[in-house]
Amino acid sequence: MPAPQHAPYRREIDGLRAIAVLAVVLYHFAVPGLKAGFVGVDVFFVISGFLIGGMLWSELLEAGRIDLGQFYLRRIRRLAPAFFAMGAACAVIGWFVLLPYEFRNFGKELIASSLWMSNVLFYREAGYFDFGADSRVLLHTWSLSVEEQFYLFLPLLLSALALARVGPKVILGILIAVWAGSLLACVALTAGYPVMTFYLFPFRAWEMLSGVLLAIWLRDAALTPRLQAVLASAGFLLLAASFLLIRNASFPGWQAMLPVAGSAALLAGAKGDRGNPGAVLSHPAMVFIGLISYSLYLWHWPLLIFSRYWRGHYASPLETAGWLALVFVVAALSWRFVEQPFRRNRRITAPVLLSSAAVAACATLSVGAATFLADGLPDRFSRDTQVYIAASAGFLQDTSRCRRPEDGPLAGIRTCAIGPDGRPEFLIWGDSHLRAQMDGLAMAAREAGRPGMIIWHAGCPPLFGLAKHESAATPDQDRTCADDNRRIRAAIRQYPSIRRLLLVGRWAYYADGKGVGRDAHNLITLSPRDGLGLAARRLAIGSVRRRAEAHGRGT
């Protein structure tokens, strides 16, 4: 039986990849005006489903089966070389610049991402929008793990149904049922379990299955040029609305339907024909960025994280542009000298490819395990340097009693229990200054025999009714601060056992509006949130000033 024929290459799909990766990269580099560039990942999910699903469906109809061996060989050839190159480079750079506890976490991330499980790791440990997320070198691999889990799920499902001699119409019905179940679960559970629905494959599967179902529908559909133009226009409008209007506080949920629908509309309607709005996606510049999009996504986040060791968290627009240029150069080199040789060189046969991938995987897992088990290899540094490293260990508190509830009034907010077990009798709420004091407060609670709870949010004043705007934070971090404070205010009423509240914060900073010393360039303003009047503003700001003055007197 002849091999199934793959769909012809469409330049506009690479153009859509360019939009997706540019949105993600520019968002991560905090380029102003792009409030929700993170939804570029959702665009990638739809594209992957469209291409992979269309290929597998055609193979199933034409050959009556799925050649799993050939499918996974193609995936390894496409994805593995650049990933292992990126992982090796990060390990080398991390050896020189990461502190032991950072390098230890990197080792854990390297293991998880090599096993296609980093989304599970990050779900268990933190959220994508958390303040501490910007110290995780391989955080971006969560979406790659979701896609790779999809590459396991869909071919195996189709193969099992084919072996059971299930007809195409029944298979299509099953795919629709899985799509609907995943979508409904995502929408229903995002409010109560936002971290779970963000990271885990079952709640993202509908996005990729949207691409699969679109590919199946387009196989027999005949769209007129006019309808294609309308779909392309609608797709651009939906993506623009997604990038500008979506808020991370309740994402994915129903909000993810916007970028998914926009991506599907562009995949269905965008053509390179004159008169079609989607023709812009076929521009050579867009196509080139789409071609290097995998390497661009792989390399941009580690380079951003490592760049902060030189430039700090926030740099001038010119310096940011320089780092962005470096990201594009490295991505282009990775595409040309790592991706292309493995994809195009047929002398790299299946045995060579599999053995090379196995060696690379074993080496990567070994490096990750050694780094993790050796506590980040502190002996890399000189004895003099280790003195400072030991001093910084004071920030490594025991977080074994910290968790991020998936339901309840504090769902999605990190909380830490202190003192003996039992219902909390007091709440200590603050910013990163509270985190620095957490171990001492926990010891005091144990000695007093009083159970309590700690909630800290770095860079976020523990005050109700105020919105903050800080030069050392992104707009999303500012919004997350206000959203968490609003939820904490509502949640406190549901803890009748709490009788006392202690606020810990950087009060002088909030009152004066600027930092001191090395932090002098940072500015912060506090304003009443959502219609609170002038009296409320004066009361809140006055409260901050009184706390700052009391702190200065040592009281």
Side-chain angles (χ1 to χ4, degrees):
M1 182 176 292
Q5 298 297 312
H6 300 314
Y9 171 66
R10 290 176 54 189
R11 293 168 59 86
E12 60 273 10
I13 294 180
D14 274 322
L16 184 56
R17 281 195 179 108
I19 290 178
V21 75
L22 287 174
V24 173
V25 171
L26 296 179
Y27 170 77
H28 284 158
F29 273 84
V31 174
L34 199 62
K35 295 183 178 180
F38 56 87
V39 302
V41 169
D42 302 83
V43 180
F44 276 126
F45 286 163
V46 179
I47 295 173
S48 293
F50 180 79
L51 294 175
I52 298 300
M55 178 183 67
L56 291 174
W57 186 256
S58 295
E59 185 175 355
L60 184 66
L61 293 184
E62 296 171 19
R65 56 185 290 272
I66 302 294
D67 190 334
L68 292 175
Q70 287 300 315
F71 174 80
Y72 289 118
L73 279 174
R74 288 194 298 268
R75 292 298 89 203
I76 293 172
R77 189 182 295 272
R78 172 73 174 92
L79 302 174
F83 169 79
F84 286 125
M86 181 273 298
C90 289
V92 172
I93 298 173
W95 172 277
F96 291 103
V97 304
L98 295 180
L99 294 174
Y101 69 91
E102 296 170 326
F103 206 36
R104 182 179 185 273
N105 283 337
F106 169 76
K108 184 164 53 175
E109 296 166 20
L110 192 60
I111 294 171
S113 58
S114 300
L115 296 175
W116 300 357
M117 294 293 289
S118 63
N119 60 324
V120 178
L121 171 68
F122 294 125
Y123 156 65
R124 291 173 61 88
E125 293 193 345
Y128 178 77
F129 302 104
D130 285 354
F131 226 79
D134 59 4
S135 65
R136 294 184 171 273
V137 178
L138 298 179
L139 177 65
H140 65 312
T141 61
W142 76 268
S143 65
L144 303 179
S145 292
V146 171
E147 288 199 31
E148 287 154 350
Q149 289 158 18
F150 169 70
Y151 298 150
L152 288 174
F153 164 77
L154 183 64
L156 291 177
L157 174 63
L158 293 179
S159 293
L161 294 173
L163 288 174
R165 300 186 180 278
V166 176
K169 291 184 178 180
V170 177
I171 294 176
L172 178 60
I174 292 173
L175 291 177
I176 293 173
V178 175
W179 170 86
S182 174
L183 172 59
L184 290 174
C186 179
V187 173
L189 297 177
T190 290
Y193 305 87
V195 180
M196 180 177 71
T197 55
F198 186 92
Y199 276 115
L200 298 188
F201 168 70
F203 309 99
R204 294 289 196 153
W206 69 273
E207 300 186 37
M208 288 159 280
L209 287 172
S210 295
V212 174
L213 295 175
L214 176 66
I216 294 173
W217 177 67
L218 287 178
R219 181 180 173 89
D220 299 318
L223 305 183
T224 64
R226 181 177 179 82
L227 178 57
Q228 289 175 334
V230 171
L231 288 172
S233 298
F236 281 125
L237 289 174
L238 286 169
L239 286 188
S242 302
F243 295 139
L244 297 175
L245 301 178
I246 284 178
R247 300 184 65 181
N248 62 46
S250 55
F251 191 84
W254 67 268
Q255 292 188 104
M257 298 173 70
L258 291 177
V260 169
S263 303
L266 281 168
L267 287 170
K271 300 293 180 183
D273 304 335
R274 181 178 298 180
N276 187 303
V280 68
L281 298 177
S282 298
H283 189 279
M286 297 291 287
V287 172
F288 177 72
I289 295 173
L291 290 172
I292 68 170
S293 60
Y294 176 56
S295 281
L296 188 56
Y297 184 81
L298 273 180
W299 288 96
H300 87 280
W301 181 259
L303 287 173
L304 171 63
I305 298 302
F306 287 129
S307 75
R308 289 173 176 163
Y309 286 84
W310 285 271
R311 69 184 181 98
H313 278 274
Y314 302 94
S316 67
L318 182 61
E319 188 175 1
T320 298
W323 284 104
L324 277 170
L326 177 63
V327 166
F328 277 86
V329 170
V330 173
L333 293 174
S334 172
W335 173 75
R336 174 62 182 83
F337 295 106
V338 179
E339 285 192 63
Q340 290 297 97
F342 277 87
R343 294 184 68 185
R344 304 301 180 193
N345 190 346
R346 294 306 165 187
R347 288 179 296 181
I348 302 178
T349 59
V352 172
L353 179 65
L354 288 175
S355 59
S356 300
V359 169
C362 290
T364 301
L365 292 171
S366 298
V367 169
T371 302
F372 178 74
L373 296 174
D375 291 326
L377 302 168
D379 292 337
R380 293 174 289 136
F381 299 95
S382 67
R383 289 187 177 180
D384 291 340
T385 304
Q386 288 189 45
V387 173
Y388 294 98
I389 293 173
S392 70
F395 289 95
L396 303 178
Q397 293 91 359
D398 177 12
T399 59
S400 60
R401 299 183 68 190
C402 297
R403 67 189 188 97
R404 192 181 303 276
E406 296 179 356
D407 54 14
L410 290 172
I413 295 177
R414 188 178 179 86
T415 65
C416 300
I418 60 174
D421 292 334
R423 293 183 178 181
E425 298 178 9
F426 62 90
L427 169 64
I428 307 178
W429 176 32
D431 55 17
S432 60
H433 285 219
L434 171 57
R435 178 188 178 184
Q437 302 173 31
M438 188 167 69
D439 282 349
L441 292 166
M443 184 181 299
R446 284 196 304 270
E447 292 175 353
R450 304 283 293 277
M453 180 168 59
I454 282 180
I455 300 176
W456 64 271
H457 186 148
C460 184
L463 296 168
F464 296 137
L466 290 178
K468 67 124 178 164
H469 305 277
E470 187 178 7
S471 61
T474 66
D476 276 321
Q477 289 167 338
D478 288 338
R479 284 192 294 271
T480 301
C481 169
D483 290 342
D484 282 356
N485 288 358
R486 184 164 52 248
R487 295 171 66 189
I488 291 169
R489 182 175 189 174
I492 287 178
R493 301 170 183 173
Q494 302 184 46
Y495 287 88
S497 61
I498 293 178
R499 298 297 182 182
R500 290 178 173 83
L501 172 63
L502 173 63
L503 304 181
V504 178
R506 189 181 174 187
W507 303 117
Y509 180 46
Y510 303 138
D512 295 339
K514 61 181 180 180
V516 296
R518 294 180 60 186
D519 197 33
H521 62 284
N522 287 341
L523 302 175
I524 186 170
T525 58
L526 303 179
S527 58
R529 178 185 58 79
D530 297 339
L532 291 179
L534 180 60
R537 176 179 181 178
R538 286 174 175 169
L539 179 63
I541 299 298
S543 175
V544 172
R545 292 192 182 280
R546 286 192 295 275
R547 289 189 178 93
E549 291 167 359
H551 177 77
R553 292 193 301 267
T555 59

